[in-house]
Amino acid sequence: MSSVRRRRGSEAQSKEIQAEENNKEEEEEEKEHGEDDNDKNKKKKKMKDEKSKEKQEKKRKWSCIDSCCWFVGCICTVWWLMLFLYKLMPASLPQYVTEAITGPLPDPPGVKLKKEGLTAKHPVVFVPGIVTGGLELWEGHQCAEGLFRKRLWGGTFGEVYKRPSCWAEHMSLDNETGLDPPGIRVRPVSGLVAADYFAPGYFVWAVLIANLAHIGYEEKSMYMAAYDWRISFQNTEVRDRALSRIKSNIELMVATNGGNKAVILPHSMGVLYFLHFMKWVEAPAPMGGGGGSDWCSKYIKAVVNIGGPFLGVPKAIAGLFSAEARDIAVARALAPGFLDNDLFRLQTLQHVMRMTRTWDSTMSMIPRGGETIWGGLDWSPEEGYTPSERKQNSNNTQLTGQETNKTNVNYGRMISFGRDVAEAPSTEIEMTDFRGAIKGHSVANTSCRDVWTEYHDMGVEGVRAVAEHKVYTASSIIDLLQFVAPKMMARGSAHFSYGIADNLDDPKYQHYKYWSNPLETKLPNAPDMEIFSMYGVGLPTERAYIYKLSPYAECYIPFEIDTTAEGPDEDSCLKGGVYTVDGDETVPVLSTGFMCAKGWRGKTRFNPFGIKTYIREYEHSPPANFLEGRGTQSGAHVDIMGNFALIEDVIRVAAGAKGEDLRGDQVYSDIFKWSEKIKLRL
């Protein structure tokens, strides 16, 4: 029994030992499994951390293109939402809200003058300016399927973002002829709707038309002289017979309105277009309209020019030279490279330049008169001008300024490569002549795909030569443009001229290329006719530029406005590489006012029959709140078309008033003082 017990005890002990060993093995296995699980968990955590880091990095990678797209999208969304809500409002609600905030609104000029007893008398002809008239498609390529008689310019501009390349192709003209490319016909929209609104909610002529209607005007006594503003003035007659249609419509309106002569209302570039018309209508056929030297005397009571760039605009130089102006330059500074990027195969500025350089009309606004009018390296008519606070005199017609900045600006230097060049004495500027520079294709331009501009033909040496000339005046600007864009300027010089006539009786001035230049042509034989120059003042207006070489000069537009160039303080006239003077934000006072202030004032060689001229300036006053829209006292280039004071003056002239009835000149700027500084033989 004892032996049995011993055996059982040993067996129990062995079982316990085996159990302990098994437990140890299980523990070791669990430990190993635990370690494996820990490793797996660590790996999982690492994977999660790496994924989260990648997501964060992706979130951080937010390019300027994304910002611009979101910004544009937000603006468009808000705009269409506000427009939608505005359409849902009762017609009287906006006026009710505005009156609740600002008090009772004044009567519109048409209502006010109707109460005074004014009625429609003289037929009115509107002559729109550049870009404000609608253009529609009559024939196009396959990409323009379904767009017959749809607006390509004006309206909603839907095709710009639906098919931008196709739109740019159809808006461009032939680079050799300046007329239609093969297989494309884009024509001006006809009727008052051609330029009443530029885009939904953005009026041009609509407010003026509505106020004329208040005193009895109808479509039978109003005519929109629509024309294709892209092509040269004479070519509007060659292709569309536009000048002939203006002539016949004026004659018809005068005949059907009791023989009352017409009042002509040109705006912006339309001022130059109608100046061309007045010479064309007198000239014998086939170059002219064959109306005879007394046609204007028979049919025109007054020409009321609104914001007229008689002597050109410096802004046109920047547009032709680098496809930009102050607003574009600011956009480039806010989003560097965005406008130069090949976004969806659309290199924005390059396509804009290629398209606009086929529009011959843009060359009509290159500054005229050279250094005699615009100044040279060491002087300009506006010398001493500084941004200032204006004080209105008791007579309500003249304003004086309190100077706040004594910095002398050389406005005569229209383009300077570097701020130091713009401010240096002329004796210290070493200029290298660019005219003899050797041009040649740049190898880098092969990466620019099909975006061709004439800069690609200049080569590196040509670009460098332009920059090393350092400074350009109104005289050398013409040579500069002929160097950088010879094909464009070859077309332009066949249709426009930019000089000053020595002898206006010279037979060469009978050619149509001189007809839109007031310094190379005579006003018509119409002593009873009156000429008004109405324009806004009190807004900074582009006058001269500081340029630099583009960092992408090999492939992109090689020059750009240097937006880092700033004046010494907030009151400086130098902001973002642009020197500004007094004007309407587009046309300087010197260009809009000089001819009526001096060039045509009294009997001069440019006005041999003594047509009376008047200047009517309108001081800019911004809207008091957003409910006023673009305001009723604006002096801006287009917004002035809704200025109540200007509309009242226009209606009075259309109803029969003369310049003396409007109390003659109304001047707020220094136009008479600046005009006296210009030594022009009269």
Side-chain angles (χ1 to χ4, degrees):
M1 292 291 292
S2 60
S3 61
V4 173
R5 289 175 183 171
R6 288 174 185 171
R7 284 177 186 173
R8 288 178 178 174
S10 60
E11 286 177 1
Q13 289 176 356
S14 62
K15 286 180 180 179
E16 289 176 0
I17 292 168
Q18 285 180 355
E20 289 177 0
E21 289 176 354
N22 291 334
N23 290 334
K24 287 179 181 179
E25 288 177 0
E26 288 176 0
E27 287 176 1
E28 288 176 359
E29 286 178 0
E30 286 177 0
K31 286 180 181 179
E32 289 176 359
H33 285 301
E35 289 176 358
D36 291 340
D37 291 339
N38 289 334
D39 291 339
K40 288 180 181 179
N41 291 333
K42 287 179 181 179
K43 288 179 181 179
K44 287 180 180 179
K45 286 181 180 179
K46 285 182 180 179
M47 293 287 288
K48 288 180 180 179
D49 292 339
E50 287 175 0
K51 287 181 180 179
S52 63
K53 285 180 181 179
E54 286 178 2
K55 288 180 180 179
Q56 288 176 358
E57 287 177 1
K58 287 180 180 179
K59 287 180 180 179
R60 286 173 188 170
K61 289 180 181 178
W62 185 265
S63 67
C64 63
I65 295 176
D66 298 318
S67 300
C68 290
C69 290
W70 274 101
F71 180 68
V72 172
C74 289
I75 289 177
C76 293
T77 303
V78 172
W79 169 259
W80 287 112
L81 179 62
M82 291 179 68
L83 188 63
F84 175 74
L85 293 175
Y86 179 79
K87 294 292 185 183
L88 292 179
M89 288 182 185
S92 59
L93 183 60
Q95 183 177 349
Y96 173 79
V97 174
T98 303
E99 289 183 354
I101 296 173
T102 63
L105 295 175
D107 286 335
V111 175
K112 172 187 172 183
L113 297 178
K114 182 181 180 181
K115 292 177 180 178
E116 293 182 13
L118 270 67
T119 57
K121 183 177 181 182
H122 296 276
V124 174
V125 178
F126 309 108
V127 186
I130 192 169
V131 309
T132 54
L135 299 174
E136 61 188 16
L137 183 69
W138 281 79
E139 180 184 3
H141 294 161
Q142 188 174 359
C143 66
E145 188 73 27
L147 296 181
F148 176 68
R149 293 206 65 199
K150 298 288 181 65
R151 288 201 183 196
L152 292 186
W153 189 272
T156 61
F157 285 92
E159 301 311 315
V160 177
Y161 51 83
K162 286 181 182 176
R163 28 189 157 182
S165 297
C166 183
W167 175 83
E169 178 186 3
H170 285 73
M171 282 299 298
S172 299
L173 296 168
D174 188 275
N175 200 42
E176 300 292 337
T177 65
L179 295 170
D180 296 320
I184 293 176
R185 282 187 295 151
V186 175
R187 296 294 181 264
V189 177
S190 59
L192 295 178
V193 295
D196 55 352
Y197 286 92
F198 174 66
Y202 192 91
F203 68 82
V204 182
W205 294 95
V207 177
L208 182 54
I209 291 171
N211 278 277
L212 284 166
H214 282 304
I215 67 166
Y217 277 91
E218 301 174 10
E219 198 155 5
K220 67 182 180 183
S221 53
M222 294 188 288
Y223 168 63
M224 183 69 72
Y227 61 97
D228 190 339
W229 44 262
R230 300 172 302 160
I231 63 180
S232 69
F233 301 159
Q234 190 68 11
N235 275 343
T236 63
E237 173 64 17
V238 172
R239 195 193 72 179
D240 300 334
R241 298 291 181 265
L243 299 174
S244 294
R245 286 188 288 109
I246 293 174
K247 176 177 179 285
S248 59
N249 272 285
I250 291 176
E251 291 172 347
L252 177 63
M253 291 173 72
V254 170
T256 56
N257 281 272
N260 291 314
K261 299 178 185 179
V263 171
I264 315 298
L265 302 177
H267 173 246
S268 189
M269 191 187 75
V271 168
L272 303 178
Y273 186 68
F274 196 76
L275 195 62
H276 180 97
F277 169 83
M278 287 194 293
K279 295 303 295 182
W280 172 87
V281 76
E282 292 180 336
M287 187 181 293
S293 60
D294 61 345
W295 190 93
C296 291
S297 180
K298 288 180 180 177
Y299 293 102
I300 300 177
K301 173 195 183 290
V303 182
V304 183
N305 302 290
I306 304 173
F310 289 104
L311 302 178
V313 287
K315 199 171 187 177
I317 298 171
L320 294 171
F321 185 54
S322 60
E324 61 181 340
R326 181 172 55 179
D327 44 2
I328 299 296
V330 170
R332 292 179 86 170
L334 292 174
F338 175 71
L339 291 177
D340 296 314
N341 278 334
D342 187 4
L343 181 64
F344 308 122
R345 298 184 65 87
L346 181 64
Q347 289 164 303
T348 312
L349 284 182
Q350 286 81 342
H351 277 283
V352 169
M353 175 174 279
R354 186 179 67 172
M355 179 176 68
T356 57
R357 279 192 173 181
T358 66
W359 298 348
D360 289 351
S361 62
T362 58
M363 289 175 278
S364 71
M365 292 183 290
I366 294 174
R368 295 176 161 90
E371 294 183 9
T372 301
I373 299 294
W374 296 94
L377 291 176
D378 297 311
W379 83 280
S380 67
E382 304 101 325
E383 187 176 3
Y385 168 80
T386 54
S388 58
E389 295 181 2
R390 297 171 175 269
K391 286 185 176 181
Q392 193 166 8
N393 286 348
S394 57
N395 63 5
N396 219 22
T397 62
Q398 192 76 24
L399 293 177
T400 61
Q402 293 180 335
E403 295 187 358
T404 59
N405 179 12
K406 298 294 182 181
T407 303
N408 189 30
V409 178
N410 298 314
Y411 290 113
R413 304 178 189 184
M414 286 192 164
I415 289 181
S416 302
F417 277 87
R419 183 179 172 183
D420 55 337
V421 174
E423 297 176 351
S426 59
T427 54
E428 297 180 7
I429 302 175
E430 296 181 5
M431 293 185 290
T432 303
D433 192 5
F434 63 90
R435 297 169 183 84
I438 299 174
K439 293 184 177 183
H441 291 280
S442 174
V443 177
N445 288 332
T446 57
S447 65
C448 295
R449 298 180 181 168
D450 63 340
V451 186
W452 177 87
T453 67
E454 292 190 70
Y455 281 126
H456 296 173
D457 294 335
M458 290 179 62
V460 176
E461 291 301 319
V463 171
R464 184 182 294 118
V466 168
E468 289 180 352
H469 191 270
K470 295 182 180 177
V471 62
Y472 296 87
T473 64
S475 296
S476 54
I477 283 291
I478 306 300
D479 295 331
L480 171 64
L481 293 176
Q482 287 173 343
F483 182 78
V484 301
K487 289 186 178 180
M488 177 190 75
M489 290 301 290
R491 297 194 318 271
S493 60
H495 290 274
F496 305 106
S497 182
Y498 312 102
I500 300 174
D502 292 325
N503 178 15
L504 286 167
D505 294 323
D506 189 325
K508 77 173 186 178
Y509 292 111
Q510 295 175 9
H511 192 274
Y512 60 76
K513 67 180 288 184
Y514 301 102
W515 291 349
S516 61
N517 183 357
L519 301 174
E520 293 183 301
T521 190
K522 299 177 184 177
L523 288 178
N525 182 6
D528 295 331
M529 188 175 82
E530 294 181 322
I531 295 180
F532 296 83
S533 185
M534 298 182 175
Y535 54 90
V537 295
L539 287 166
T541 305
E542 296 172 42
R543 178 65 165 82
Y545 303 89
I546 294 177
Y547 268 86
K548 66 178 181 180
L549 285 173
S550 168
Y552 308 105
E554 291 289 332
C555 183
Y556 295 83
I557 297 172
F559 312 111
E560 63 181 60
I561 296 172
D562 185 1
T563 54
T564 63
E566 294 286 346
D569 52 52
E570 292 183 357
D571 293 321
S572 173
C573 56
L574 173 61
K575 293 185 184 299
V578 180
Y579 287 105
T580 57
V581 292
D582 197 6
D584 67 1
E585 217 168 28
T586 297
V587 188
V589 165
L590 189 67
S591 180
T592 49
F594 173 77
M595 291 310 297
C596 283
K598 184 174 182 179
W600 290 332
R601 185 60 60 111
K603 280 192 177 184
T604 69
R605 64 191 184 106
F606 306 107
N607 182 17
F609 302 101
I611 296 174
K612 290 183 178 179
T613 62
Y614 300 95
I615 290 177
R616 302 287 294 176
E617 293 183 346
Y618 304 89
E619 179 75 2
H620 174 73
S621 179
N625 56 70
F626 76 95
L627 293 173
E628 289 188 15
R630 290 152 64 191
T632 59
Q633 301 178 64
S634 177
H637 188 64
V638 177
D639 294 353
I640 198 173
M641 304 292 278
N643 185 300
F644 277 14
L646 179 141
I647 293 173
E648 182 173 334
D649 286 347
V650 168
I651 293 177
R652 289 187 184 279
V653 173
K658 294 189 174 183
E660 294 175 354
D661 300 324
L662 302 182
R663 299 181 181 178
D665 296 324
Q666 175 178 275
V667 179
Y668 299 98
S669 71
D670 291 325
I671 182 58
F672 286 111
K673 183 176 76 173
W674 294 341
S675 297
E676 287 304 312
K677 293 182 181 180
I678 297 174
K679 306 304 178 185
L680 178 67
R681 183 172 62 87
L682 299 175

